[in-house]
Amino acid sequence: MNAPMKPAPRHAPNAVVLAFLCGLGGFGTLALETLWIREITLRAGSTVVAASLVVGVFFLAAAAGNMAGAGFAAKSKTPLTAYGVLELLSAALAIGLFFLAKGLWWTLPPEWWVTHGGLGMAVLLVAPPSFLAGASFPMMSQYFVRAPEQRTAAGGILYGGNLLGAGVGVLAGSVILPWYLGMGGAFLFAGAAQAAGGLLAWKLSYQQKQAKKQQSPNRLRATGVAPKRHPRVPILVSLAVFAGSGFLSLAAQGLLISWVRQILQGSVYAVSGVLATFILGLGLGSLLASVLRGNGVSPLRALPSLALATALILILLPIAGRWFSELGAFSLGSHPMEMMLRTNGWSLLILGPFSVLLGVVFPMTWEILVGGAGHQGQALGRIIAANKVGAALGMWAGIFLVVPRWGVQHGTILLGLGYALFAVALLWLGRKAGIPRKAPPRGFREGLVVVVIGIGVYQWGQPPVPMGLGKDDRELAAYYGAYGPVTVIENRTTSSRSILLNTQQRLNGTGRALSTQHHQAWLPLLFARPNSRVASIGMASGITSAAMLDFPVKELTAIELVPEVLLAAKEHFRPWNDRLFSDPRARVVVGDGRAVLRTLQAPLDVIICDLLFPEEDGSANLYSRDFLIEARDLLAPEGLFCLWLPAYQLQDQTAGIILRTFADVFPKALLIRANFDPMQPVIGLLGSKSAIPIGRDFLVKRLATPEVRALAAQSPFFQSPDHTWLAFVGDLHSANPGFSEFLLTTDDRPVMTYLGPADLGDARLVGMPFAKWLGQSFDHPHFPSADLGTTHPTGILPSLRAAQYYYIASVADSVIPGDTRPDEVRLSQFLRWLGRAREANPAVSLPGEALGR
């Protein structure tokens, strides 16, 4: 019979207090890590890539810290004091490096950010504090865990508390703190929380010294029973198990981020939801492992079953993921806190069981390490270091190897088969260690392994099922990369092609969308000087970028973030974008638009941001005031910056934030339209440091140039000055009511990142709501941002009003879901508004094609 365990000394902190200390450390560390993901996303352009870089560097640096801490733990006479000092130093270093990062953006060469920016930033700024945080855990383990048999039962409490705090830290660092405090305030708060844990540990250690309590405490409950000793396996084999466990679990985490982005949009909430659910599940699983081990459950008996259950979940995940995707859009709410809670709720439903299982697996492996009976901090430091090295490699492998090579669906099945083989290895280890056989019957678990592997092999043999396609769509090609799946789709009825990214975002398209994409290039260039140096951000299918070559530009740089999108554009859109790859004036650059733009030689004459989707985390960063200032400063004195907006993905609040921010940066700012599509209206913000010429004399000369005359047959806006004015909506600096009551979106307070994914419902700026939104602010002849020449402002107003009536006519002619109007009523309303448009300005007449007929 096992002897009862000795009670802890009265003045020694108990397990709850120490778990709380570890929780504070986990909160601060993971909140800071998540904030670094937000910062590096500004330079890398994608949250998924930024998360993989930060998490990978964090684990490698923390692993090095674990190893260093393991060495010191065996020698330290005051491990709790050492823990407090390391936590304080880690917090102070993280805060200092945050402010250093702001200066690095301007001092390091722009080319460095394009080639090394994301990884370099992570190494420089994440690694040092992560190393110190990693070194602190063995110190706490040395203080708290006194024997190998207590590593799971006692160490699991510490590890579980650390992970639960870390999960809350992810939520705080990804949404709560930046929303309420801004990025700078969030860093200070997270650092202060970590430092508070260090100070509290220091204080507890000091109190023990004062009380002269030299006895090393045992932190397990006094009423507990010491777990049985069990055979252990060789150290190298054990370390390989720990590294393999970390590799598989973090590779799976990388793929799970891709899954949730396909189901819940590619927003900041999707990434934070996966990370928080994963870490909280690990914490709960670690506490469960502590309970199981405290009740005498043998790790080498439990581990194979846990690994096999994990394998089965991963193998079946593609089926569940496709089912969730087919459910359609998930309601996220309208406030950031509501969106965070709902996203985490869905993530918990999808990923919760899997992450809890993983949480049980890792602490259960702690006791199978040979040696270290006298220095448990040293032993736990080494095995956690091995696990974290595997975790870092697994995170990078999942995002940059598994997904690009096999795709998300087959990649998930492959990892499931990896866990099944892991279960086989654990069964073998149990036999080698001499674990006695008990129920279930001999061969039962081996048979289950064969069944699970068989299911996995069958699933592997099935072709990937396209996700996100409409009923009339067919897949032409599929590409896989770190940024998510890219699918080229074609409508069977209209033969229109488009690119689908992450099953959520349709990028550009042919058919009816061609006119809009052409105007996104032609309208800004109408005001550019000849031989302009131009750049476009967000190339996608390349149709808009190629249309820029219709003008006599001297140099065009088209920037695309996702390499697979570029490949899809080259292979399936050449009839529409061929000049982009054959014209010597053009070059295509793969990279983050913000970083690449800084490498271009100033001044630029025109910069076009091509339809940035507000719910996408990386795209939302390009609405930032800081980015707009950078772009403005690259422009020539009369240069133009054009930011195209998908109004159908905005509502009054988000549109107001963007317009207010844009007007705050550009002293001259006009609002223009690219189409009259009632369901997918596209508007553009045209900004400059100088007055923008839109007078009749200027337009007569521009419309008479050969390049513009060649476009007149394709565009209703290029047939006369009155037709060109149909594209103008108004002046941002004379809007009445204006937009001053809306928030600014900045790098420090990225409100568009948090509000962009909000549910729009009936508030979307489409149909009549869009017409009312335009009409309430811009129906007056005042244009302080424009150079009118000899043209009186009232001369432009008839075309602006006619454009509004033409748009309403298009709305009246549309068949909207739920519309019960008879065809004759629809036609009557269309003709009535069409007549009002012609009355407003008899000099213009739009063909039916321009109105979608």
Side-chain angles (χ1 to χ4, degrees):
M1 178 178 295
N2 296 319
M5 306 194 72
K6 296 179 181 180
R10 188 175 62 180
H11 293 278
N14 60 29
V16 175
V17 173
L18 294 177
F20 175 75
L21 283 180
C22 288
L24 272 180
F27 175 89
T29 301
L30 266 293
L32 290 167
E33 178 188 334
T34 311
L35 289 165
W36 276 126
I37 292 174
R38 299 288 319 118
E39 280 291 300
I40 294 178
T41 299
L42 294 174
R43 319 304 176 198
S46 167
T47 304
V48 174
V49 173
S52 65
L53 293 175
V54 171
V55 171
V57 170
F58 169 80
F59 275 117
L60 283 179
N66 290 150
M67 289 299 294
F72 286 113
K75 304 173 183 178
S76 176
K77 296 181 179 179
T78 55
L80 193 58
T81 301
Y83 172 86
V85 171
L86 289 169
E87 288 288 296
L88 283 169
L89 290 175
S90 177
L93 191 57
I95 293 173
L97 289 174
F98 167 74
F99 294 102
L100 173 64
K102 300 300 184 183
L104 287 177
W105 173 243
W106 298 107
T107 55
L108 291 174
E111 293 78 8
W112 185 87
W113 292 99
V114 176
T115 55
H116 309 99
L119 180 59
M121 183 77 126
V123 171
L124 285 173
L125 306 178
V126 178
S130 301
F131 175 86
L132 293 174
S136 68
F137 187 79
M139 300 298 176
M140 181 66 78
S141 301
Q142 179 71 12
Y143 175 79
F144 186 65
V145 183
R146 305 308 303 168
E149 291 74 25
Q150 297 174 11
R151 290 177 191 163
T152 299
I157 296 174
L158 295 183
Y159 199 62
N162 182 267
L163 288 172
L164 291 177
V168 176
V170 169
L171 297 179
S174 60
V175 181
I176 301 172
L177 295 178
W179 174 255
Y180 288 108
L181 302 179
M183 294 296 292
F187 264 96
L188 291 173
F189 186 95
Q194 186 178 6
L199 287 172
L200 183 56
W202 203 345
K203 180 180 178 181
L204 290 174
S205 179
Y206 177 76
Q207 288 176 342
Q208 285 186 270
K209 289 181 182 178
Q210 292 297 105
K212 297 182 179 180
K213 297 294 184 178
Q214 300 299 326
Q215 180 182 357
S216 296
N218 190 320
R219 303 302 166 220
L220 292 180
R221 294 179 181 177
T223 57
V225 176
K228 293 181 180 179
R229 291 179 178 268
H230 58 83
R232 293 189 289 274
V233 297
I235 183 171
L236 292 180
V237 176
S238 298
L239 290 176
V241 169
F242 301 136
S245 173
F247 181 92
L248 289 171
S249 62
L250 265 292
Q253 185 190 63
L255 267 73
L256 292 173
I257 291 176
S258 295
W259 272 111
V260 173
R261 281 171 59 85
Q262 293 180 67
I263 297 171
L264 299 175
Q265 301 179 345
S267 67
V268 63
Y269 302 103
V271 176
S272 67
V274 174
L275 292 177
T277 297
F278 198 80
I279 294 172
L280 288 171
L282 291 179
L284 292 174
S286 184
L287 295 177
L288 178 59
S290 177
V291 173
L292 293 174
R293 188 66 185 111
N295 289 324
V297 176
S298 170
L300 282 175
R301 186 177 301 282
L303 282 171
S305 300
L306 294 169
L308 198 60
T310 303
L312 187 60
I313 290 176
L314 283 172
I315 289 170
L316 298 179
L317 181 61
I319 298 175
R322 292 193 296 267
W323 180 78
F324 275 111
S325 178
E326 291 170 359
L327 289 179
F330 287 81
S331 175
L332 297 183
S334 57
H335 189 274
M337 298 305 108
E338 181 184 11
M339 288 186 273
M340 180 192 72
L341 291 174
R342 290 194 180 188
T343 304
N344 279 274
W346 284 112
S347 297
L348 186 63
L349 177 64
I350 299 170
L351 310 177
F354 170 78
S355 57
V356 171
L357 278 176
L358 287 183
V360 178
V361 168
F362 180 55
M364 278 286 188
T365 61
W366 286 356
E367 292 177 43
I368 64 176
L369 180 65
V370 169
H375 301 290
Q376 300 311 308
Q378 183 182 58
L380 288 176
R382 288 174 177 174
I383 62 179
I384 291 175
N387 183 265
K388 286 181 177 176
V389 170
L393 298 177
M395 186 68 175
W396 289 339
I399 294 295
F400 299 112
L401 176 62
V402 175
V403 171
R405 177 63 180 85
W406 292 284
V408 177
Q409 296 183 40
H410 274 166
T412 306
I413 296 169
L414 180 65
L415 290 179
L417 290 170
Y419 266 104
L421 295 178
F422 187 55
V424 172
L426 290 170
L427 286 171
W428 177 81
L429 287 177
R431 287 189 178 183
K432 293 291 288 183
I435 299 297
R437 293 184 178 276
K438 295 181 180 179
R442 179 184 180 90
F444 179 78
R445 289 192 296 181
E446 289 80 354
L448 285 180
V449 170
V450 173
V451 171
V452 171
I453 292 177
I455 295 173
V457 171
Y458 173 78
Q459 288 287 92
W460 177 268
Q462 303 304 304
V465 178
M467 297 170 57
L469 276 62
K471 294 182 179 179
D472 205 24
D473 292 332
R474 68 186 183 99
E475 178 186 301
L476 295 182
Y479 306 86
Y480 306 103
Y483 297 91
V486 173
T487 310
V488 180
I489 58 178
E490 183 177 73
N491 185 277
R492 292 185 177 89
T493 302
T494 65
S495 298
S496 173
R497 293 183 181 181
S498 57
I499 298 175
L500 192 65
L501 175 62
N502 268 320
T503 74
Q504 294 285 333
Q505 297 295 346
R506 295 203 176 210
L507 311 178
N508 300 152
T510 60
R512 288 182 57 182
L514 281 174
S515 175
T516 298
Q517 292 173 78
H518 287 155
H519 283 127
Q520 289 172 216
W522 294 342
L523 285 172
L525 287 172
L526 181 67
F527 307 98
R529 65 180 181 83
N531 298 319
S532 301
R533 296 181 63 246
V534 300
S536 68
I537 297 176
M539 189 200 85
S541 66
I543 294 173
T544 296
S545 297
M548 297 174 75
L549 297 169
D550 289 325
F551 283 77
V553 301
K554 180 181 180 180
E555 176 186 311
L556 164 63
T557 302
I559 307 168
E560 173 53 48
L561 175 66
V562 184
E564 292 73 28
V565 168
L566 173 59
L567 189 60
K570 292 179 69 173
E571 295 183 352
H572 294 278
F573 290 84
R574 291 303 283 264
W576 302 276
N577 67 18
D578 183 67
R579 287 177 300 164
L580 187 61
F581 303 103
S582 60
D583 195 309
R585 297 174 295 164
R587 70 184 183 111
V588 177
V589 180
V590 176
D592 172 57
R594 189 167 183 172
V596 173
L597 198 64
R598 291 187 63 235
T599 67
L600 303 182
Q601 184 180 357
L604 296 172
D605 297 295
V606 178
I607 301 172
I608 298 176
C609 283
D610 185 3
L611 216 60
L612 306 176
F613 295 116
E615 64 265 33
E616 287 286 336
D617 190 17
S619 298
N621 290 328
L622 296 183
Y623 293 124
S624 164
R625 181 179 184 273
D626 303 77
F627 166 67
L628 296 178
I629 290 174
E630 292 175 25
R632 182 198 64 192
D633 293 344
L634 288 172
L635 290 174
E638 296 181 353
L640 292 172
F641 180 88
C642 186
L643 177 63
W644 288 106
L645 307 177
Y648 50 92
Q649 292 192 0
L650 299 171
Q651 37 97 346
D652 182 78
Q653 182 186 27
T654 49
I657 290 171
I658 296 171
L659 268 62
R660 191 271 170 96
T661 304
F662 194 89
D664 187 74
V665 172
F666 289 96
K668 307 297 180 183
L670 297 173
L671 186 63
I672 59 178
R673 70 170 84 233
N675 61 20
F676 291 95
D677 187 335
M679 299 311 298
Q680 291 191 324
V682 173
I683 54 174
L685 302 177
L686 204 60
S688 178
K689 293 178 279 189
S690 304
I692 303 171
I694 64 171
R696 184 176 294 274
D697 295 340
F698 170 82
L699 291 176
V700 167
K701 293 179 181 179
R702 284 298 279 138
L703 296 175
T705 58
E707 63 270 12
V708 180
R709 283 205 313 270
L711 301 177
Q714 303 178 57
S715 170
F717 297 132
F718 294 160
Q719 295 171 8
S720 72
D722 289 276
H723 283 83
T724 302
W725 289 330
L726 291 174
F728 285 93
V729 175
D731 194 310
L732 265 63
H733 289 292
S734 65
N736 186 23
F739 305 99
S740 59
E741 74 274 14
F742 292 99
L743 297 171
L744 285 171
T745 182
T746 67
D747 285 353
D748 186 65
R749 290 185 177 270
V751 295
M752 275 302 299
T753 295
Y754 298 109
L755 294 177
D759 286 333
L760 302 180
D762 295 334
R764 288 194 310 145
L765 293 180
V766 298
M768 286 306 297
F770 179 65
K772 294 176 181 178
W773 180 78
L774 292 181
Q776 69 180 359
S777 294
F778 300 107
D779 189 19
H780 53 267
H782 187 38
F783 309 102
S785 299
D787 178 3
L788 298 179
T790 61
T791 304
H792 193 275
T794 57
I796 299 176
L797 195 58
S799 287
L800 300 188
R801 289 175 174 168
Q804 184 79 333
Y805 293 143
Y806 276 125
Y807 174 79
I808 297 174
S810 182
V811 174
D813 194 43
S814 300
V815 179
I816 301 173
D819 187 356
T820 59
R821 294 175 298 163
D823 290 343
E824 57 272 16
V825 173
R826 185 178 301 109
L827 178 61
S828 173
Q829 292 176 347
F830 168 75
L831 293 175
R832 177 161 59 89
W833 286 108
L834 189 64
R836 294 194 63 176
R838 291 171 177 170
E839 289 174 5
N841 190 349
V844 298
S845 178
L846 287 182
E849 292 82 359
L851 302 178
R853 291 181 67 81

